[in-house]
Amino acid sequence: MDILYNDGDCQIYISPIICDFNMFVEFFGNHTETIINRAQRLLKSAKRQYEWLTVRAMLYRIFQHEVEIYYSPEGKPFVRKEKCHISISHSKDYATILLSTSYQIGVDIEAVAPKITSLCHRITLPTELPANYELLNEKQKSLLLTSIWCTKEATFKSLSDQEGIQMLKDISIVAYDERTQLPQKIFTPV
């Protein structure tokens, strides 16, 4: 597990998804079998089980004890005893956790894949695309659209009231970094 960012209030952690049940002994010790059984009862897919277990292993490493994750009626994760806000995401090969002691937060990660370009109209409005979008090659478009999706998803996750918010219409990319052409500023109605 690596820490990508830490300013004392917010921390971002990332880890490859652990795909070997035996490796969880390092985190959970004598409780490993119980925790793995719980994952298997809750989730049918082995992929989802590994994601679920990896996130709990990451939290165990961060807090040095088992951490129970609860979910709000809207599906937002929270932890009670650690007195911090939490956001979780996983993608093809990685899991990430964002923690903050002060702010509502959101994080999202996605593997960059060419198929996202076919979803452009479902992710962005034409006014959100940078002026040079049509000049980008397929790889650049895939990276840009994945960045837009992750930015909008993380923003949505950070909202304390998500009811009625539609990512396509209500969360907008309003500026791009001139050097990287990746999202720099967003707008939400809240």
Side-chain angles (χ1 to χ4, degrees):
M1 178 176 71
D2 294 320
I3 186 162
L4 298 179
Y5 178 82
N6 183 358
D7 69 4
D9 180 54
C10 289
Q11 301 86 40
I12 301 174
Y13 301 88
I14 192 163
S15 173
I17 300 292
I18 301 167
C19 294
D20 179 353
F21 287 134
N22 295 321
M23 292 183 69
F24 291 108
V25 172
E26 173 186 337
F27 300 95
F28 306 126
N30 295 336
H31 301 285
T32 303
E33 187 175 341
T34 303
I35 295 170
I36 289 172
N37 287 341
R38 183 169 177 216
Q40 291 173 331
R41 278 192 319 274
L42 290 171
L43 305 159
K44 293 185 189 312
S45 147
K47 179 185 181 311
R48 294 287 294 130
Q49 292 169 18
Y50 291 135
E51 291 169 348
W52 189 92
L53 289 162
T54 298
V55 166
R56 274 124 190 106
M58 292 171 71
L59 288 170
Y60 190 90
R61 177 75 42 92
I62 293 164
F63 292 107
Q64 298 297 305
H65 60 85
E66 191 176 341
V67 174
E68 186 69 34
I69 300 172
Y70 301 92
Y71 294 90
S72 71
E74 300 80 30
K76 289 180 78 162
F78 65 95
V79 290
R80 287 192 176 124
K81 294 181 181 176
E82 282 66 31
K83 296 187 175 116
C84 64
H85 301 278
I86 184 172
S87 186
I88 300 166
S89 184
H90 27 76
S91 187
K92 182 179 177 183
D93 297 321
Y94 291 91
T96 187
I97 297 173
L98 174 60
L99 300 172
S100 174
T101 55
S102 301
Y103 305 105
Q104 290 286 338
I105 44 150
V107 68
D108 189 53
I109 59 172
E110 296 293 335
V112 178
K115 70 177 183 177
I116 196 166
T117 58
S118 66
L119 303 174
C120 181
H121 67 284
R122 294 176 64 190
I123 297 169
T124 65
L125 297 173
T127 55
E128 292 181 285
L129 295 171
N132 69 338
Y133 180 77
E134 290 304 323
L135 302 175
L136 301 176
N137 64 39
E138 287 304 303
K139 186 175 180 180
Q140 291 169 320
K141 286 179 180 178
S142 296
L143 177 61
L144 174 67
L145 292 171
T146 302
S147 298
I148 290 170
W149 173 258
C150 288
T151 300
K152 287 185 170 197
E153 179 73 18
T155 301
F156 181 77
K157 287 179 172 183
S158 73
L159 299 173
S160 55
D161 183 6
Q162 300 169 335
E163 189 173 336
I165 302 293
Q166 296 177 19
M167 281 199 291
L168 179 62
K169 293 181 357 188
D170 298 326
I171 300 173
S172 301
I173 305 299
V174 294
Y176 288 88
D177 180 282
E178 289 182 28
R179 184 180 60 76
T180 65
Q181 289 300 305
L182 296 177
Q184 184 180 38
K185 293 182 183 174
I186 57 167
F187 171 78
T188 60
V190 204

